[in-house]
Amino acid sequence: MSLPITNLRQTMLRHALDVQTYTPVPGLVLFHSVGQTLPMECLYQPRLCMIVQGSKQVTLGERVFTYNTRKYLIATVDLPVTSCVTQASTDRPYLSLSLDLDPAEIAALLLGAPPVVADTRTPPGLAVSALTDDLLCPMSRLVNLLDRPEDIPVLAPLVKREILYRLLQGEQGGQLRQIALSGSHLSQVSRVMAWIRQHYAQPFDVDSLARRAGMSTPSFYRHFRAVTMMSPLQYRTRIRLHEARKRMMSGGEDAAGAGFAVGYDSPSQFSRDYRRFFGIPPARDAAMMRAALLAEPRAV
């Protein structure tokens, strides 16, 4: 693996010139940080994440995922996580990339893939696995297309297809299959998660969510926890808190206004939830994060 990842690192150093670089390859984003970062809350969408240099820590619920150049991370649903770069320096900067996972592309590939025994278990929405040359080599070829942008329209779809195939044949293949199957438990839970993200400020109960998913309440609750590692109400709370934080940081709203805007009736309850999740009161956190954005390198 040393030669492919060395070549990939050299290519990324030429193209990852900012903290976050959107590339001409659809769905491919490069990240670069010259130092460790503060924990940042963000929403992971379905994606493959790979580190070329350095290491990173991602927290979902109570579970902590640590990965580096020997592992890759895959997310199959939209999840509120906390992430931070744990190993980086000016001499050896943190370098990573992410590639969006499109359920339609996966479904099309499954039509021609060898049949497999169906796995009826509901997989978690986030997982880390060992990185092999089978996956690293096509990823390296995809990034190398940045040196020849005229080749991207023709070759990028072919290389991305190979990457998806390697993922399907790998340890997380069952997880990837489920996001492409409309009747899978993962797909049913994902649809409800999308509804919560759109209606997070509205009241709801778990029974109504179960009906929306087409499941019994006990079955829905069990599968939701298996995917997200939290309950539906905890998921909504985190979406609310993420949105409130964004409003305070970028929109300049005060804590009370942000809390009401995301669905809280009580400023004191909003403050308690915020402090429990982020560790400090909302107003002080917003001030600190605005200062940190000016002074600290970041990676998402």
Side-chain angles (χ1 to χ4, degrees):
M1 186 183 296
S2 59
L3 182 58
I5 205 163
T6 298
N7 293 338
L8 179 54
R9 187 178 298 129
Q10 292 170 348
T11 305
M12 286 192 62
L13 284 171
R14 292 195 298 274
H15 294 279
L17 303 179
D18 205 348
V19 172
Q20 182 171 291
T21 303
Y22 290 91
T23 74
V25 176
L28 178 66
V29 184
L30 310 182
F31 303 92
H32 183 169
S33 177
V34 295
Q36 297 180 0
T37 63
L38 295 172
M40 293 292 296
E41 284 66 36
C42 56
L43 189 69
Y44 268 19
Q45 297 174 325
R47 61 173 64 169
L48 163 67
C49 300
M50 207 166 42
I51 292 175
V52 178
Q53 189 165 266
S55 62
K56 190 174 188 180
Q57 189 176 88
V58 178
T59 302
L60 173 64
E62 301 299 322
R63 180 121 180 239
V64 177
F65 298 84
T66 300
Y67 69 114
N68 51 30
T69 57
R70 296 184 297 276
K71 299 177 182 179
Y72 68 89
L73 180 142
I74 187 170
T76 51
V77 291
D78 293 355
L79 293 169
V81 302
T82 304
S83 68
C84 62
V85 173
T86 56
Q87 184 180 5
S89 67
T90 304
D91 294 336
R92 291 183 60 82
Y94 169 85
L95 298 169
S96 71
L97 57 86
S98 71
L99 181 65
D100 293 344
L101 299 176
D102 185 345
E105 292 179 354
I106 298 169
L109 185 58
L110 285 175
L111 294 175
V116 297
V117 178
D119 189 346
T120 59
R121 296 174 298 176
T122 301
L126 200 68
V128 170
S129 293
L131 178 62
T132 64
D133 282 345
D134 283 346
L135 179 58
L136 178 61
C137 289
M139 285 299 299
S140 182
R141 292 203 304 276
L142 188 68
V143 176
N144 284 341
L145 290 176
L146 298 177
D147 287 334
R148 302 186 64 177
E150 69 277 8
D151 292 343
I152 290 175
V154 174
L155 296 183
L158 301 178
V159 181
K160 288 172 69 175
R161 186 176 174 87
E162 180 181 352
I163 291 168
L164 291 178
Y165 178 77
R166 295 304 178 190
L167 288 173
L168 286 167
Q169 297 300 308
E171 186 178 8
Q172 304 303 327
Q175 185 182 15
L176 207 61
R177 284 180 179 85
Q178 289 215 22
I179 71 172
L181 302 176
S182 61
S184 69
H185 291 141
L186 181 62
S187 179
Q188 289 171 293
V189 168
S190 181
R191 288 198 299 271
V192 174
M193 292 168 66
W195 185 90
I196 293 174
R197 291 194 305 277
Q198 293 174 1
H199 303 88
Y200 58 81
Q202 300 178 12
F204 61 76
D205 56 42
V206 177
D207 290 340
S208 66
L209 296 180
R211 289 192 296 271
R212 189 172 293 277
M215 300 182 187
S216 68
T217 299
S219 177
F220 169 73
Y221 191 86
R222 183 174 68 254
H223 289 299
F224 193 98
R225 284 197 69 95
V227 172
T228 65
M229 303 181 192
M230 63 189 80
S231 72
L233 295 181
Q234 288 172 327
Y235 182 82
R236 182 187 66 179
T237 295
R238 297 204 174 192
I239 295 298
R240 283 179 169 181
L241 294 175
H242 278 287
E243 181 62 26
R245 197 184 208 199
K246 186 193 308 180
R247 286 171 173 269
M248 290 187 296
M249 289 175 60
S250 59
E253 292 190 32
D254 60 19
F260 283 126
V262 301
Y264 278 90
D265 296 325
S266 166
S268 60
Q269 183 62 51
F270 169 65
S271 184
R272 283 194 297 271
D273 283 353
Y274 196 101
R275 185 165 190 162
R276 186 181 305 115
F277 184 55
F278 293 114
I280 57 177
R284 183 153 55 117
D285 180 52
M288 290 177 60
M289 292 307 301
R290 282 193 290 266
L293 286 173
L294 298 175
E296 295 284 342
R298 285 195 306 141
V300 177

